[in-house]
Amino acid sequence: MYEAPDWRRDGDTIRRTVVATDFRTAIAIVNEIAEQAEALNHHPDIDIRWRTLHLALTTHDAGGLTELDYKLAARIDAIVADHQAG
């Protein structure tokens, strides 16, 4: 299972906050997350505050965390890393 080092556990949810370089980059990150979420049919809670993204993952159907949450967390981490490298 993916370790999700940038995520913190909060009960049955894992959470991560990402600060993008600007609003446009934050929205680009959200758009890429949306594509991955649709591909996995697993959708995170996303709160956008200017260039700060608050992300939360849980599997409501299962009543807690599943491998799917960690799989999407890994994809989100890769998306964020790509935007921070550029």
Side-chain angles (χ1 to χ4, degrees):
M1 181 183 301
Y2 182 68
E3 292 295 322
D6 294 316
W7 297 76
R8 68 176 171 79
R9 184 149 184 182
D10 179 14
D12 290 334
T13 303
I14 54 174
R15 299 180 185 280
R16 180 174 182 190
T17 297
V18 174
V19 179
T21 54
D22 53 34
F23 182 72
R24 188 172 294 196
T25 302
I27 296 303
I29 291 169
V30 169
N31 286 335
E32 289 184 40
I33 290 171
E35 292 298 321
Q36 292 301 313
E38 282 295 303
L40 292 173
N41 193 29
H42 191 63
H43 304 91
D45 293 333
I46 302 173
D47 179 24
I48 305 167
R49 306 287 173 117
W50 181 38
R51 62 187 188 108
T52 302
L53 308 174
H54 300 281
L55 307 159
L57 291 168
T58 191
T59 303
H60 298 286
D61 304 23
L65 293 166
T66 66
E67 183 65 32
L68 200 50
D69 297 300
Y70 291 96
K71 186 173 190 174
L72 184 53
R75 291 185 185 191
I76 290 170
D77 289 348
I79 290 165
V80 171
D82 285 348
H83 284 277
Q84 290 176 339

